[in-house]
Amino acid sequence: MSMAGQHYIQPADMGQIGKVAVIGGGAAGFFLAVNLKEMVPALEVTIFERSSRLLAKVEVSGGGRCNCTNTFDDVCDLSQVYPRGHRLIKRLFNVFDYRDVFQWFERHGVPLVVQDDHCVFPKAQDSHAVIDCFLSLARRYHIDIKTRTRVQSLDDLRGYDFVAVTTGGSPTGEGLQWLAALGHEIVAPVPSLFSLAVGDSRLHDLQGLVVSGASVLLPGTKLQATGPLLLTHWGMSGPAILKLSSYAARQLADSSYRQPLSVNWTGLKEDDVRAVLYETAARQPQKQLTTYSPYGLQQRLWAYLTEKALGDRSHIRWSELNKKDVNRLTNTLTNNSYQTTGRAPFKDEFVTCGGISLSSINPSTLESRHVPNLYFAGEVLDVDGITGGFNFQAAWTTAYVAARSMAQNTEVRNIHRADVGMLY
């Protein structure tokens, strides 16, 4: 029921303990359903999935290995990894955080391993370890699963006591319209976590090269990211670009993905780069400039950068570098400008920012402020993270909290059902 009494969930019969509809058969939906059944086994839980495939994003995530969470060891502030929704995640971590996720999977038969970059994967290095776990638990707990079933209004769910919306991101916003009609504020969704197309054919020739410690930023803003940078046949990708695309998702969308982009290929400050150049000229005076990189950059990339900075003079020896050469080379290495021409030429983004505004939910329970007994979890909320397992972590955390809230609500309702009746 909304504040004006216009919208409500039609409950089951008084004699039943409760029926729950989970809309969305993805990561958040399955995690919510399984945990809810473990908390209140007598509940009847049904998952509705509009497509024929369950857990599709889980299957392809992490290159098919499923980067299911992160150790958060390098995270000083959650805003570093959650550009939107970090305050909510911080609150919910008091209930269920990344350590709880690690224990949950191990307890349910999915051993995990931690990589050097703090990303966490199934020990099997296969996303089906997670998928098989969820499907096995769903069978064990008699969770009903209905595929090819689209829910477009609460009228489709008459007879259910609780409804959880876990439909994931909605890039066009179409899947959010029925929720907007119930009074929920919708933050316009736009893509996040995507590669960038760059109009430089010579750069495209370097496809496949990875620069491990690059920094990228949008000039004129404070939006920047550091990490491995992958050169592709259309432009740039890799963790550095994916992080930047998350931080700058709205700015990039507003510019139709045509923005100046600055790349620091070394990750060093200008003074440090300049000092290394002078030191190399003193140590390796007879080496040809294009054939010797003092920064560990791949030969083809180093030749491309020196030629871009110095043109014909790139074929000189290190001893022939003059002050103007050093300044130009320093600028190219630390502040190399490109013009983005769009997102990658295929729809590779897994995440959208935007969705149900956090002002429309109770931040402690994830229950709708407009329709009692309607809950939200996962990417449908205006919460999203950078690459590295943070989006799955948000899915597990919000799903667990929503499940716990429904479980507690169920217990209260059943205790007081005979005395106060149904509160609708």
Side-chain angles (χ1 to χ4, degrees):
M1 179 166 47
S2 72
M3 297 304 179
Q6 295 176 334
H7 307 294
Y8 58 93
I9 291 173
Q10 297 281 0
D13 295 337
M14 289 282 288
Q16 297 179 357
I17 189 171
K19 296 176 65 178
V20 179
V22 178
I23 309 173
F30 268 86
F31 202 72
L32 189 156
V34 166
N35 278 285
L36 185 56
K37 285 290 289 185
E38 290 184 339
M39 296 170 188
V40 188
L43 281 174
E44 294 182 27
V45 178
T46 301
I47 294 175
F48 295 89
E49 170 55 45
R50 69 177 183 176
S51 73
S52 60
R53 295 180 61 199
L54 299 168
L55 298 160
K57 280 190 178 181
V58 174
E59 183 175 28
V60 298
S61 69
R65 297 186 298 137
C66 187
N67 181 187
C68 52
T69 187
N70 194 283
T71 66
F72 286 72
D73 285 350
D74 285 343
V75 180
C76 301
D77 188 315
L78 287 180
S79 64
Q80 293 175 252
V81 293
Y82 291 105
R84 288 150 292 270
H86 65 276
R87 292 185 180 87
L88 176 67
I89 295 298
K90 182 177 181 180
R91 175 194 288 260
L92 301 184
F93 270 4
N94 292 321
V95 178
F96 193 81
D97 67 6
Y98 48 95
R99 291 162 293 206
D100 297 310
V101 166
F102 201 106
Q103 294 173 6
W104 191 96
F105 277 108
E106 297 239 321
R107 188 170 66 250
H108 287 82
V110 183
L112 303 177
V113 294
V114 179
Q115 294 188 163
D116 292 341
D117 60 0
H118 309 298
C119 294
V120 179
F121 290 84
K123 187 176 181 180
Q125 298 293 304
D126 188 343
S127 60
H128 286 92
V130 174
I131 294 172
D132 292 346
C133 171
F134 286 160
L135 294 178
S136 175
L137 290 171
R139 287 191 295 270
R140 181 191 306 174
Y141 298 147
H142 304 290
I143 296 171
D144 191 15
I145 300 173
K146 299 183 182 298
T147 57
R148 299 181 183 274
T149 306
R150 186 167 186 170
V151 175
Q152 296 180 292
S153 77
L154 290 181
D155 290 338
D156 298 334
L157 299 171
R158 291 180 179 274
Y160 286 90
D161 297 83
F162 300 92
V163 175
V165 179
T166 61
T167 48
S170 179
T172 65
E174 179 184 357
L176 301 172
Q177 294 310 306
W178 71 279
L179 296 166
L182 296 175
H184 301 98
E185 179 184 350
I186 306 298
V187 179
V190 298
S192 180
L193 294 186
F194 48 82
S195 304
L196 288 170
V198 175
D200 185 331
S201 59
R202 293 185 62 209
L203 188 72
H204 301 167
D205 292 338
L206 303 175
Q207 62 176 296
L209 295 185
V210 177
V211 182
S212 59
S215 295
V216 292
L217 65 88
L218 296 186
T221 76
K222 295 182 179 180
L223 300 169
Q224 59 182 338
T226 300
L229 174 64
L230 170 65
L231 300 179
T232 71
H233 67 276
W234 65 83
M236 300 180 188
S237 187
I241 293 295
L242 295 178
K243 288 179 187 178
L244 183 66
S245 75
S246 181
Y247 297 145
R250 295 210 172 274
Q251 290 87 339
L252 288 166
D254 290 343
S255 69
S256 298
Y257 306 96
R258 297 178 181 275
Q259 285 264 130
L261 176 69
S262 177
V263 180
N264 182 332
W265 297 99
T266 68
L268 302 175
K269 295 180 179 178
E270 285 190 14
D271 288 345
D272 294 331
V273 168
R274 189 176 287 107
V276 171
L277 291 175
Y278 279 122
E279 179 185 348
T280 304
R283 287 190 299 103
Q284 304 287 348
Q286 299 306 310
K287 293 279 188 181
Q288 187 175 338
L289 183 65
T290 56
T291 62
Y292 183 79
S293 168
Y295 302 100
L297 298 175
Q298 295 93 330
Q299 174 59 36
R300 287 192 296 146
L301 176 60
W302 174 251
Y304 160 80
L305 293 172
T306 55
E307 289 171 9
K308 188 173 185 181
L310 304 181
D312 291 341
R313 283 188 57 78
S314 64
H315 299 289
I316 62 176
R317 299 182 186 278
W318 275 91
S319 61
E320 299 175 71
L321 276 178
N322 58 39
K323 184 176 181 180
K324 184 181 290 187
D325 294 332
V326 169
N327 288 337
R328 287 177 176 173
L329 192 51
T330 297
N331 186 64
T332 298
L333 290 170
T334 61
N335 188 26
N336 198 193
S337 296
Y338 295 90
Q339 179 66 38
T340 64
T341 58
R343 299 202 313 272
F346 51 87
K347 297 179 179 179
D348 61 342
E349 63 268 2
F350 284 177
V351 179
T352 57
C353 72
I356 300 296
S357 170
L358 302 187
S359 65
S360 290
I361 63 167
N362 180 320
S364 297
T365 64
L366 304 186
E367 184 177 15
S368 166
R369 293 187 186 276
H370 303 278
V371 185
N373 300 326
L374 175 65
Y375 294 80
F376 298 94
E379 196 183 336
V380 70
L381 291 166
D382 185 24
V383 176
D384 64 284
I386 66 173
T387 185
F390 300 105
N391 285 293
F392 273 139
Q393 178 61 54
W396 314 137
T397 293
T398 54
Y400 185 91
V401 170
R404 192 185 77 153
S405 301
M406 278 187 279
Q408 293 174 340
N409 199 342
T410 300
E411 293 169 2
V412 170
R413 285 182 50 202
N414 282 304
I415 290 172
H416 298 288
R417 186 184 293 246
D419 296 328
V420 298
M422 303 294 288
L423 302 179
Y424 296 94

